[in-house]
Amino acid sequence: DTAVSQTPKYLVTQMGNDKSIKCEQNLGHDTMYWYKQDSKKFLKIMFSYNNKELIINETVPNRFSPKSPDKAHLNLHINSLELGDSAVYFCASSLQQGGATEAFFGQGTRLTVV
Amino acid sequence: QKEVEQDPGPLSVPEGAIVSLNCTYSNSAFQYFMWYRQYSRKGPELLMYTYSSGNKEDGRFTAQVDKSSKYISLFIRDSQPSDSATYLCAMSHSGNTPLVFGKGTRLSVIA
């Protein structure tokens, strides 16, 4: 049973397109996250949702819009894709917010903008 | 200065060696310290978790936190080729703040 699953695993698209990445967790966790991992493997938080409410919104262009229809799902929509958006995007979840509990990561979505 | 500094390596060791991985940090408020392991094309998975200072051991892995020096370490004893991965340190200063990750150290254990 996959705990945190993301789709698609790979996404290749042209500049200017709009795309979505979906994430689902079956762990019953309250908090979900989106992280971006760049080509140098640096993992940086983008958004955090707790019980469908946006808690953290780091300095991310407003072309990125997260949506949480329920506690188990957190999707990421990206408008007007740019070359610099190419990265691996990881969804994660944890029982509580922040560093007090383990975060479980999905397998990642490798986004390539051409 | 970045909040969390980690040497990206790569680090290459023979099988059976003791591996030492380290991170330094600047924020003295950090209290939760974690080590994640990430295999190629996979998501990070939690390896070790420590709250505040001290040591924690789990099998071949030992995590150490020295808050006075703002320095954390992960030791791997009797390293195996299956330990080849990127190791990321992560930390936060309260239960409600997100993890701040180091850049990760790529480790190769050669059989």
Side-chain angles (χ1 to χ4, degrees):
Chain A
D1 260 357
T2 307
V4 181
S5 59
Q6 300 176 226
T7 52
K9 195 173 176 182
Y10 298 96
L11 185 53
V12 181
T13 187
Q14 289 189 325
M15 268 177 25
N17 282 352
D18 303 339
K19 289 292 177 187
S20 290
I21 307 171
K22 295 187 176 181
C23 179
E24 176 182 4
Q25 54 97 0
N26 63 4
L27 298 165
H29 287 167
D30 285 340
T31 306
M32 295 185 74
Y33 311 84
W34 278 110
Y35 283 85
K36 180 180 178 181
Q37 189 171 46
D38 61 25
S39 56
K40 294 180 180 173
K41 299 289 188 185
F42 188 47
L43 197 62
K44 194 157 191 267
I45 190 160
M46 299 173 70
F47 301 104
S48 167
Y49 266 76
N50 184 256
N51 275 317
K52 299 195 301 172
E53 229 181 285
L54 180 65
I55 302 298
I56 291 167
N57 182 352
E58 292 293 309
T59 310
V60 174
N62 57 15
R63 299 181 294 104
F64 290 79
S65 52
K67 280 193 173 58
S68 181
D70 56 57
K71 253 176 46 167
H73 294 85
L74 179 62
N75 303 323
L76 184 65
H77 188 76
I78 315 170
N79 288 329
S80 305
L81 278 154
E82 300 177 356
L83 293 176
D85 297 332
S86 296
V88 182
Y89 292 85
F90 286 100
C91 176
S93 74
S94 64
L95 194 57
Q96 302 169 21
Q97 292 179 57
T101 58
E102 176 181 359
F104 290 81
F105 284 80
Q107 63 186 4
T109 296
R110 187 170 294 270
L111 171 66
T112 304
V113 183
V114 297
Chain B
Q1 182 190 9
K2 284 199 166 51
E3 271 196 296
V4 179
E5 299 273 7
Q6 184 176 9
D7 187 338
L11 182 60
S12 189
V13 301
E15 184 175 357
I18 296 174
V19 176
S20 172
L21 303 166
N22 312 295
C23 287
T24 58
Y25 61 94
S26 57
N27 189 341
S28 57
F30 283 142
Q31 294 190 76
Y32 299 89
F33 303 92
M34 302 182 186
W35 286 95
Y36 279 81
R37 178 175 60 196
Q38 185 176 19
Y39 289 114
S40 182
R41 297 189 178 260
K42 298 284 185 190
E45 54 179 344
L46 184 68
L47 201 56
M48 298 287 282
Y49 173 94
T50 313
Y51 172 69
S52 195
S53 277
N55 294 356
K56 189 171 184 179
E57 193 173 316
D58 183 2
R60 296 185 294 111
F61 299 90
T62 300
Q64 285 184 356
V65 175
D66 181 349
K67 287 186 74 178
S68 60
S69 303
K70 299 194 188 73
Y71 187 87
I72 70 170
S73 302
L74 177 70
F75 297 96
I76 308 174
R77 287 183 298 283
D78 188 25
S79 56
Q80 303 295 309
S82 58
D83 295 328
S84 298
T86 297
Y87 290 80
L88 301 117
C89 62
M91 45 198 84
S92 78
H93 50 77
S94 81
N96 291 325
T97 53
L99 292 172
V100 179
F101 282 84
K103 283 193 172 183
T105 300
R106 192 153 58 92
L107 171 68
S108 292
V109 181
I110 312 299

